[in-house]
Amino acid sequence: MVFIAEIVPKRAVARIARFAYGENYVCLPMKHRIDMNGAAKTAEYEWQLSGSWSRLYAHASGALIASQPISILRLSLRLLNMLL
């Protein structure tokens, strides 16, 4: 079983999402950095849980290419295969 929670930095957003819509949102300290300057592009998102910082980081370089359309089902299956 996979447990997924949406992380947001604002308490009010998390509360409204949980109580009004039944969504699994949690409020945690967060920070982010996006660098679109130069040939390389980077994006970094961080959140703090139990005193430790975790992060999700992406770095892209090289020429841009157009992506092919993909269905939500196919994307979900690819992501699931990556996790298993």
Side-chain angles (χ1 to χ4, degrees), residues 12-44:
V13 172
R15 285 183 179 174
I16 291 169
R18 279 195 312 269
F19 296 121
Y21 302 106
E23 296 291 333
N24 191 18
Y25 276 58
V26 294
C27 177
L28 297 174
M30 296 181 72
K31 51 188 173 180
H32 71 279
R33 182 179 63 86
I34 298 175
D35 184 4
M36 300 296 283
N37 298 324
K41 314 294 185 215
T42 59
E44 181 176 4

Side-chain angles (χ1 to χ4, degrees), residues 46-83:
E46 296 182 73
W47 59 95
Q48 187 179 31
L49 179 63
S50 300
S52 296
W53 284 93
S54 298
R55 74 178 180 152
L56 178 64
Y57 179 86
H59 177 82
S61 61
L64 296 175
I65 58 171
S67 63
Q68 297 296 318
I70 186 170
S71 71
I72 295 297
L73 177 59
R74 185 182 294 161
L75 177 61
S76 298
L77 290 173
R78 285 185 184 175
L79 291 172
L80 183 59
N81 284 332
M82 289 171 55
L83 294 172

